[in-house]
Amino acid sequence: AAAGAPPPPPKRARRADNAPPCSNASAASALRARLGGGGTAEPLPPPPPPPPTTPTLTFLGTGSAEPSAHRGASSMYLACPSGRGALLDAGEGAAGALKRALGAEGGRKAFASLSLLWLSHKHADHVLGAVGVLEARPVGAPALLVVAPAAAARWLQSAAAAARVADRATVVPAHALYGPAGAPARAAVCTALGLDSFRLVPALHCADAHGCV
């Protein structure tokens, strides 16, 4: 080189296998071929949704005394972040509505993790599906806590015995959750569902009707 001229740049070392460098696209194509995907790659499935951080409420039916093919009898499913759930009212067909809403596997898990069946009042359009809910529970599951007005509690105990599922429920009359005497029962519901609080309030509908907050 001439005096004072900069030295030539160093030669790039060739790969040991003397293979020419490849682009990112060709490398990805080669990897897919090695993994058996040919020249096209299937899109990855979306990641599962994160577990809920707040309770979610699914309306299973709002048809009350006039259900239709597209509007079932009254029932709501409360899914709690703890992984447990509660069924609020159980009109006729509530068990089937829950399976349709969550799918076969989702319904199976929901019935297995159900911790509370709450019946607001004694009218048939809110309680006739309660026996079906007990029948849908897996054999060997802990007895389901059922909070119901006195008349509905008596009916359910009789109907469940006739269906041979009486051992799948522990029925507590709603009035037993009021006042200081009801504190242990309310605490049991909170523990089972992972809630901060749970209490009943009188509802202006019929005798012995209640809401829950």
Side-chain angles (χ1 to χ4, degrees), residues 194-206:
L195 300 177
D196 293 332
S197 65
F198 178 88
R199 63 189 178 92
L200 299 189
V201 293
L204 299 177
H205 182 56
C206 64

Side-chain angles (χ1 to χ4, degrees), residues 65-188:
E66 295 183 2
S68 66
H70 303 288
R71 190 180 181 194
S74 298
S75 185
M76 294 174 286
Y77 174 66
L78 179 70
C80 298
S82 63
R84 311 300 295 179
L87 203 60
L88 311 178
D89 281 332
E92 186 175 7
L98 183 58
K99 293 177 184 177
R100 288 190 295 275
L102 302 182
E105 182 63 16
R108 184 191 66 79
K109 292 180 179 180
F111 284 118
S113 61
L114 203 60
S115 295
L116 172 69
L117 172 58
W118 173 80
L119 304 177
S120 61
H121 60 285
K122 61 186 178 182
H123 289 166
D125 55 305
H126 288 252
V127 305
L128 282 184
V131 174
V133 171
L134 298 180
E135 291 176 328
R137 294 267 291 166
V139 177
L144 178 62
L145 174 63
V146 181
V147 177
R154 291 191 298 269
W155 169 82
L156 180 57
Q157 289 170 325
S158 176
R164 299 184 178 181
V165 290
D167 59 335
R168 300 188 186 187
T170 298
V171 183
V172 176
H175 62 76
L177 273 72
Y178 282 93
R186 296 194 301 271

